């Protein structure tokens, strides 16, 4: 995902924010300061609303982080590795490096996030009871309780990719003992849930105005797309079993020496190559990233003789590296960085896996598994 801003680590887990999370925070503050708080406490100077709106908005974003941290910490307690937490415009996501080994673990990890949100809602509501009534802070705390209540309940809706969809998946898996069957059941539920939200959003646009209907429409589209993507990923994992990276990679690719000028590289390598992406390597042959035809075309002809490849490198260290005899299923562990994964043997780059290669093997995996995206 592009536009990611690292925020640091919490309990040893990297926390990041997509640029859309900043838009979400700004929207929350704007709605609180411009609409919610003035309606709850009318007649005050507008300068009083905005500081409370900023604090309440910050606390809500923090509650989203707590929701995701609950997933991550319980997953780690259950023996699952967590790679990162990412906040974005529709909430957040916890990226696990591996799937649950049994339905009980999946159920606990999935359910703890919504329960954390409901716990925050209960705590905020109890706090509002002991605060002075008819004050801006009390109104903000009630709003915070309400939003976390809605967040927790919404995430418990039974459909992938929501937490409730994973709870449903765990229960179906537990009952049938068939993980693939549970995959399909949770995906179908997510598809139906998303379609229902889209329908309600379209209908609601006529009744509530465009803002409320558009929000439900957006959520519905997100759920439908997420359900399809999640099932595709899980089926692809089954289809990739038994394959090795060497069967997927592009072997002995043309390389881009970091010290070479663009003009020299274009004349000596690019014009005679079938590749559109080139691994960038150092003097020792270690990969540090990649450069594409598009990157090269951005350099004016007059500057090609003085511009070095290293200045155009898309991804710098650390570059994701695999061995040729690794299982191909490892290609799905993390997104491809900078358009490729380097395959290294004995310190020398012997192959690469590009995003195009990954798309190809995912399609082949789905065909091998005998399914479509939603099945």
């Amino acid at each position: 995902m592009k536009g990611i801003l690292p925020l640091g680590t919490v309990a040893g887990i990297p926390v990041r924010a997509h640029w859309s999370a900043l838009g979400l925070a700004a929207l929350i503050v704007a709605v609180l300061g411009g609409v919610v708080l003035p309606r709850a406490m009318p007649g005050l100077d507008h300068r009083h609303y905005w500081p409370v709106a900023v604090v309440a908005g910050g606390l809500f974003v923090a509650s989203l982080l707590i929701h995701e941290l609950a997933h991550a910490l319980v997953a780690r307690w259950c023996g699952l590795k967590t790679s990162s937490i990412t906040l974005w415009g529709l909430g957040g996501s916890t990226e696990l490096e591996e799937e649950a080994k049994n339905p009980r673990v999946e159920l606990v990890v999935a359910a703890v996030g919504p329960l954390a949100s409901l716990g925050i809602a209960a705590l905020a509501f109890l706090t509002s009871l002991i605060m002075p009534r008819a004050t801006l802070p009390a109104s903000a705390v009630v709003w915070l309780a309400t939003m976390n209540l809605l967040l927790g309940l919404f995430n418990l809706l039974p459909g992938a990719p929501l937490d409730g969809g994973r709870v449903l998946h765990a229960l179906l898996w537990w009952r049938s003992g068939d993980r693939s069957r549970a995959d399909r059941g949770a995906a179908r539920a997510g598809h139906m849930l998303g379609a229902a939200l889209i329908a309600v959003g379209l209908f609601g646009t006529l009744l509530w105005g465009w803002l409320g209907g558009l929000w439900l429409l957006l959520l519905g589209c997100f759920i439908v797309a997420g359900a399809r993507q999640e099932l595709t990923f899980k089926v692809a994992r089954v289809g990739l079993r038994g394959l090795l990276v060497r069967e997927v990679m592009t072997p002995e690719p043309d390389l881009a020496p970091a010290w070479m000028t663009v003009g020299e590289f274009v004349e000596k390598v690019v014009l005679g190559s079938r590749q559109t992406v080139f691994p960038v390597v150092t003097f020792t042959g270690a990969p540090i990233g990649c450069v594409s035809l598009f990157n090269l075309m951005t350099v004016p002809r007059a500057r090609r003789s003085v511009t070095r490849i290293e200045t155009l490198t898309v991804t710098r260290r650390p570059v994701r590296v695999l061995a040729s005899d690794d299982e191909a299923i490892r290609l799905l562990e993390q997104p491809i960085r900078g358009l490729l994964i380097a395959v290294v043997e004995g310190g020398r780059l012997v192959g690469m896996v590009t995003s195009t290669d990954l798309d190809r093997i995912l399609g082949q995996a789905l065909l091998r598994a005998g399914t479509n995206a939603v099945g």
Side-chain angles (χ1 to χ4, degrees):
M1 190 182 289
K2 298 180 179 180
I4 296 295
L5 175 67
L7 300 181
T9 60
V10 179
I13 301 170
V15 178
R16 312 176 302 177
H18 186 247
W19 63 265
S20 59
L22 302 179
L24 173 65
L27 177 62
I28 289 173
V29 172
V31 171
L32 273 171
V35 179
V36 175
L37 294 178
R39 286 182 179 177
M41 294 290 298
L44 299 178
D45 191 307
H46 280 278
R47 290 176 297 178
H48 293 89
Y49 297 126
W50 294 107
V52 178
V54 170
V55 173
L59 289 175
F60 180 69
V61 173
S63 69
L64 294 178
L65 178 58
I66 292 172
H67 177 112
E68 299 303 328
L69 273 173
H71 287 306
L73 294 177
V74 171
R76 187 164 67 182
W77 179 71
C78 292
L80 303 178
K81 295 181 180 179
T82 304
S83 58
S84 65
I85 291 173
T86 303
L87 301 178
W88 61 297
L90 289 177
S93 62
T94 301
E95 298 176 20
L96 301 180
E97 295 184 7
E98 52 189 327
E99 294 185 320
K101 301 299 188 295
N102 59 69
R104 182 176 300 177
V105 169
E106 183 177 45
L107 178 62
V108 172
V109 173
V112 71
L115 291 178
S117 295
L118 295 177
I120 294 172
L123 180 61
F125 178 73
L126 292 175
T127 301
S128 70
L129 295 179
I130 62 176
M131 295 179 70
R133 297 295 180 91
T135 62
L136 278 177
S139 298
V141 171
V142 170
W143 174 87
L144 184 64
T146 303
M147 292 303 293
N148 273 279
L149 175 63
L150 294 176
L151 177 66
L153 294 177
F154 176 76
N155 270 280
L156 284 174
L157 291 176
L162 299 177
D163 294 330
R166 295 187 172 91
V167 170
L168 174 63
H169 179 273
L171 294 175
L172 292 174
W173 182 13
W174 201 333
R175 180 179 178 181
S176 67
D178 187 339
R179 188 170 192 160
S180 297
R181 184 177 177 182
D183 292 342
R184 297 176 188 278
R188 289 195 191 98
H191 196 270
M192 292 172 62
L193 174 63
L197 287 176
I198 291 173
V200 173
L202 291 173
F203 184 70
T205 302
L206 303 175
L207 298 180
W208 312 320
W210 69 271
L211 184 58
L214 182 63
W215 183 247
L216 285 178
L217 184 65
L218 180 63
L219 285 176
C221 291
F222 162 73
I223 291 174
V224 169
R228 180 178 293 111
Q229 182 179 10
E230 190 163 303
L231 180 60
T232 300
F233 178 83
K234 289 182 176 181
V235 173
R237 288 181 66 91
V238 176
L240 288 176
R241 286 175 184 166
L243 287 179
L244 300 179
V245 171
R246 70 165 60 93
E247 300 175 73
V248 175
M249 72 181 188
T250 300
E252 301 295 341
D254 295 324
L255 305 178
W259 64 89
M260 188 177 284
T261 65
V262 171
E264 185 181 8
F265 178 62
V266 169
E267 291 297 327
K268 290 184 176 181
V269 180
V270 176
L271 296 182
S273 176
R274 294 178 178 272
Q275 294 173 204
T276 58
V277 180
F278 302 85
V280 179
V281 296
T282 64
F283 281 108
T284 62
I288 62 171
C290 67
V291 65
S292 69
L293 288 180
F294 176 79
N295 302 136
L296 296 170
M297 288 187 293
T298 62
V299 181
R301 182 179 292 273
R303 295 197 54 80
R304 291 179 184 177
S305 61
V306 295
T307 304
R308 296 189 182 277
I309 293 296
E310 62 182 349
T311 64
L312 301 177
T313 303
V314 174
T315 305
R316 298 193 177 274
R317 293 181 179 86
V319 174
R320 189 173 172 210
V321 174
L322 293 176
S324 60
D325 58 354
D326 283 337
E327 294 182 354
I329 201 170
R330 292 198 58 193
L331 296 169
L332 302 181
E333 290 177 354
Q334 298 176 18
I336 288 185
R337 298 175 182 270
L339 304 180
L340 65 79
I341 294 172
V343 184
V344 175
E345 291 291 347
R348 188 177 72 89
L349 191 145
V350 297
M352 67 177 184
V353 180
T354 66
S355 55
T356 301
D357 293 327
L358 188 56
D359 288 341
R360 171 175 54 81
I361 64 167
L362 285 177
Q364 292 173 346
L366 292 174
L367 290 172
R368 191 178 296 112
T371 186
N372 56 30
V374 178

